[in-house]
Amino acid sequence: QWQLVESGGGLVQPGGSLRLSCAASGFTLNYAAIGWFRQAPGKEREAVSCISSSGSSTNYADSVKGRFTISRDNAKNTVYLQMNSLKPEDTAIYYCAADAFIGSFCRLVSGAMDYWGKGTLVTVSS
């Protein structure tokens, strides 16, 4: 069973930073592309960023380009999302998810992901 656990969420002021972590268990993270998604109150879930299995390829939603950086440490079975210059509209529950079948590239599509974490809440105050 693949399991993903997010951590690092919390309260932050606009312009501040947070680093989210996604720790995997039950599988070798090295072979999976990983995506970060978020769902804000009253909104649909949206893709934020993703990273290929090796870390050589990444994608970002236009709304976070230049502010967020995704990375991974396969030796630690962990993927990170460094979030800088946070805005109130970044407030959401953030989920990490794994693509069990494609690792060489990643897709900013929820339907591409096979395993999901339970999420961590990020709140950016006004």
Side-chain angles (χ1 to χ4, degrees):
Q1 295 182 349
W2 289 29
Q3 294 186 1
L4 300 168
V5 179
E6 304 93 337
S7 63
L11 293 169
V12 65
Q13 296 180 350
S17 298
L18 284 174
R19 188 181 75 163
L20 305 183
S21 297
C22 174
S25 63
F27 69 100
T28 301
L29 189 63
N30 183 52
Y31 295 100
I34 301 294
W36 283 98
F37 301 81
R38 67 187 182 187
Q39 187 165 20
K43 295 185 177 181
E44 298 294 322
R45 183 172 59 194
E46 64 176 338
V48 176
S49 183
C50 65
I51 188 167
S52 63
S53 59
S54 68
S56 62
S57 179
T58 60
N59 287 301
Y60 297 92
D62 289 341
S63 60
V64 306
K65 286 182 179 178
R67 300 189 298 121
F68 291 10
T69 302
I70 191 170
S71 63
R72 65 192 300 158
D73 186 340
N74 287 341
K76 296 181 178 180
N77 242 20
T78 302
V79 171
Y80 305 97
L81 184 67
Q82 178 66 45
M83 305 186 296
N84 298 325
S85 302
L86 284 163
K87 304 175 181 179
E89 52 262 44
D90 294 318
T91 296
I93 298 175
Y94 283 71
Y95 303 89
C96 67
D99 185 339
F101 300 100
I102 300 176
S104 60
F105 65 94
C106 69
R107 295 166 287 173
L108 290 173
V109 180
S110 296
M113 303 299 169
D114 304 292
Y115 299 94
W116 293 79
K118 295 182 179 180
T120 185
L121 177 63
V122 172
T123 302
V124 184
S125 65
S126 60

